[in-house]
Amino acid sequence: MSAKRKRVVVSLETKLNAIRRLDNGESIRTVAKDLGVGEVTVGDWRRKRAELEKWGAQSLNSNCNSERKTFKKCEYEKTSEALFLWFSEMRARGSPISGPILQAKALDFHKSFGDGDEPFTASSGWLMRWKNRYGVRQLNISGEKLSGNETDVTVFEEKIRKLILSEGLTSDQIFNCDETGLNFRMLPSKTLASQQETSAPGYKKSKDRVTVLGCANAAGSLKLKPVVIGKYKKPRAFKNTNVDTFPSTYTNQKNAWMDSRIFKQWFFEEFVPVVEAFLENKKLPRKALLILDNASSHPDADELVSDGIRALFLPPNVTALIQPLDQGVLETFKRNYKKRLLRNLLEKLEDGLGVTDALKLITMKDVVYWVSEAWDNVREDTIRRSWRKLFGIEKASRQETAAPENQPRACPPENEELVNLCNHLPVAEPISAEDISEWINGDEDQALTDDVIIQMLNQPEDDDK
């Protein structure tokens, strides 16, 4: 009589990976043997595919849920997820967090949600279970808030220099990626739908938002297809269209944010294959370095490895100082997008539509195409120049280009076209260069407040719009 097989419980992430292996042609028998489970069990996973994929798509952060084994929610689900969002925000700012601080914050959130049947005390036992569930290994970063400084920059520059020499990397093999928020219908605050439509002194800004991921190498010779992250899985504008033919990659997350699940999928399914083909075409060895910031939405570096293609994180809080795409590349991309938005609105105005009605006609499909067009129009020399600080060619100082306090800033030549286009719209008063700069930078990610977190977790789930 054969021995009874020991019961094996695997994580939901492992089940999803098993289904992907079946999709790639592996047999149920092979997958079951590798995981030490029965073939019937693997078949059950495949039958529950929709439920597993829904879990994967709705995970706030795949790092924190990678070891989760069941769909069962914890008793205080909203309180737990709100606390994790708040914790991630504090860590991104470099603020030290302790256990008692988390417990006090959990009690605050529970007052808003009132979830769970039993009285909630945020006990030490609950905190330990919360940390295990969300993969929180370390609370306190350091004794005081982290801050970027020239020493961190210098040390990292030297690290990059040595790495490039030891690996024999060229500028074709060194990449940077970064995300940016984009309020795709937002206009300058001085723009009015029309002078007659409202008595308010300024037109209300639209808050329709997506996240855009851009990636390019130091030579400017390869810009990967941008990624657009929206809230909805199936926007109505995508009906009867093949999203695989879009010039930008579209994906969704319920708050239109990057998370580690999306990033990891992008790394292995887009970045690695595209870079691999590029290097082969250039007759370069299969080596590449992806430099990125240490945002909480990015997986650990040891999870972003494919043989000679790997990731390297920037030191905390030096993004504004030396991250290449933050040195004018994403700003140029946004400027290009806003030009396209304004031209579209002016065309609609010529057809007799008001600005408000014209804005309502902009669909997610438009955004996907306009983002691609704006990214394509970022020139190679703009990208090459953006690497000068990281490579130590220019000193990475915020004060480097500061103008004297009593000297007014001249309108940058690249903003002049936007000023002219904006002033062809109905405006409360003439649009200035300062208004344009505020507009371009106005849709950057804003800090997560408690009210925003509560609103996010209370909003109904919807896959369509």
Side-chain angles (χ1 to χ4, degrees):
M1 182 176 179
S2 61
K4 187 176 180 180
R5 185 175 60 243
K6 183 179 179 181
R7 184 172 183 264
V8 176
V9 181
V10 302
S11 68
L12 298 179
E13 184 69 25
T14 300
K15 294 174 185 178
L16 273 173
N17 289 333
I19 292 172
R20 296 186 190 110
R21 290 175 63 180
L22 296 179
D23 291 342
N24 291 332
E26 292 191 55
S27 67
I28 288 182
R29 175 175 294 182
T30 301
V31 174
K33 185 178 179 181
D34 287 350
L35 297 177
V37 298
E39 294 178 27
V40 174
T41 300
V42 177
D44 287 340
W45 297 345
R46 185 159 62 179
R47 283 186 286 276
K48 294 179 180 177
R49 178 188 195 123
E51 195 175 1
L52 283 163
E53 289 182 339
K54 183 179 180 181
W55 167 83
Q58 291 181 348
S59 296
L60 284 172
N61 187 307
S62 64
N63 281 345
C64 65
N65 291 289
S66 61
E67 297 304 317
R68 192 168 170 181
K69 295 178 173 62
T70 69
F71 293 113
K72 183 180 178 181
K73 294 185 176 182
C74 67
E75 190 175 3
Y76 307 100
E77 184 74 15
K78 287 187 176 180
T79 297
S80 297
E81 295 204 355
L83 185 64
F84 178 72
L85 283 172
W86 180 84
F87 171 75
S88 299
E89 174 72 11
M90 294 300 102
R91 287 299 296 267
R93 295 186 197 175
S95 300
I97 301 294
S98 66
I101 290 175
L102 284 173
Q103 289 169 296
K105 198 66 188 177
L107 289 170
D108 287 343
F109 280 127
H110 185 261
K111 289 178 183 177
S112 300
F113 296 118
D115 49 347
D117 297 328
E118 300 295 328
F120 181 68
T121 60
S123 65
S124 297
W126 175 87
L127 180 62
M128 182 178 296
R129 292 191 295 275
W130 178 87
K131 288 165 65 178
N132 290 335
R133 185 172 192 250
Y134 289 94
V136 177
R137 297 181 296 274
Q138 179 187 2
L139 290 181
N140 201 2
I141 302 173
S142 63
E144 56 188 40
K145 186 171 180 178
L146 297 173
S147 60
N149 57 61
E150 298 294 339
T151 302
D152 293 337
V153 170
T154 302
V155 170
F156 190 76
E157 286 174 351
E158 182 63 19
K159 180 178 180 179
I160 283 288
R161 188 186 69 81
K162 290 180 178 179
L163 187 60
I164 291 172
L165 291 176
S166 63
E167 296 284 339
L169 299 175
T170 70
S171 57
D172 285 315
Q173 296 168 282
I174 307 171
F175 293 79
N176 177 228
C177 71
D178 194 17
E179 302 91 2
T180 185
L182 179 68
N183 291 315
F184 57 86
R185 290 190 179 108
M186 187 175 75
L187 294 177
S189 56
K190 291 181 181 177
T191 308
L192 298 178
S194 76
Q195 295 288 348
Q196 293 77 28
E197 286 176 354
T198 178
S199 59
Y203 179 67
K204 185 178 179 181
K205 294 179 181 180
S206 172
K207 291 296 183 182
D208 296 297
R209 183 188 178 280
V210 295
T211 294
V212 178
L213 171 72
C215 181
N217 65 4
S221 55
L222 177 61
K223 288 186 294 184
L224 278 80
K225 186 161 68 169
V227 177
V228 177
I229 305 172
K231 290 183 180 180
Y232 303 99
K233 185 176 182 180
K234 297 176 182 178
R236 288 179 184 173
F238 290 3
K239 189 175 181 180
N240 299 324
T241 59
N242 182 2
V243 296
D244 293 335
T245 64
F246 287 174
S248 299
T249 298
Y250 179 84
T251 187
N252 74 295
Q253 197 266 358
K254 66 180 182 180
N255 302 307
W257 291 346
M258 174 63 78
D259 63 27
S260 60
R261 174 189 61 84
I262 293 174
F263 192 93
K264 199 170 180 179
Q265 183 177 1
W266 170 80
F267 180 83
F268 286 105
E269 296 182 10
E270 293 197 41
F271 179 76
V272 170
V274 170
V275 170
E276 194 173 32
F278 171 77
L279 297 176
E280 184 178 356
N281 184 57
K282 286 274 190 178
K283 295 182 171 52
L284 289 168
R286 193 185 182 281
K287 288 182 180 180
L289 188 65
L290 175 63
I291 298 171
L292 62 161
D293 60 40
N294 61 349
S296 59
S297 58
H298 296 157
D300 292 339
D302 56 8
E303 296 182 63
L304 302 175
V305 180
S306 176
D307 295 331
I309 301 175
R310 60 191 182 92
L312 177 68
F313 283 91
L314 289 160
N317 291 7
V318 300
T319 296
L321 292 176
I322 58 174
Q323 176 156 242
L325 292 193
D326 277 345
Q327 309 306 315
V329 176
L330 291 177
E331 182 178 340
T332 300
F333 154 74
K334 287 189 175 184
R335 188 179 295 113
N336 292 341
Y337 177 89
K338 292 176 189 297
K339 287 178 186 177
R340 185 67 179 82
L341 170 64
L342 291 175
R343 292 190 187 108
N344 174 268
L345 292 180
L346 291 173
E347 289 173 6
K348 295 293 190 293
L349 287 176
E350 290 179 1
D351 294 337
L353 282 178
V355 174
T356 302
D357 292 332
L359 286 172
K360 290 178 181 178
L361 293 177
I362 298 171
T363 68
M364 188 56 66
K365 187 175 180 181
D366 294 325
V367 174
V368 165
Y369 277 85
W370 294 354
V371 163
S372 175
E373 180 183 324
W375 182 243
D376 288 343
N377 287 334
V378 177
R379 301 195 321 240
E380 284 188 23
D381 61 326
T382 300
I383 294 174
R384 287 197 297 269
R385 284 198 305 270
S386 72
W387 288 79
R388 293 173 64 87
K389 289 182 178 179
L390 179 57
F391 288 160
I393 300 172
E394 290 181 8
K395 182 167 178 58
S397 172
R398 292 174 179 168
Q399 285 76 37
E400 180 179 311
T401 57
E405 292 184 7
N406 59 353
Q407 181 179 328
R409 280 188 183 177
C411 177
E414 57 270 21
N415 281 354
E416 289 179 358
E417 184 178 357
L418 284 173
V419 172
N420 293 332
L421 288 171
C422 280
N423 283 315
H424 280 83
L425 296 173
V427 294
E429 57 183 280
I431 303 290
S432 67
E434 288 74 19
D435 297 324
I436 295 299
S437 295
E438 179 186 341
W439 180 35
I440 291 173
N441 297 312
D443 51 10
E444 285 300 321
D445 296 341
Q446 297 181 359
L448 271 180
T449 64
D450 291 0
D451 289 341
V452 171
I453 291 173
I454 292 167
Q455 182 183 6
M456 284 164 41
L457 293 174
N458 280 331
Q459 68 183 8
E461 294 178 2
D462 189 1
D463 282 344
D464 198 3
K465 183 180 182 182

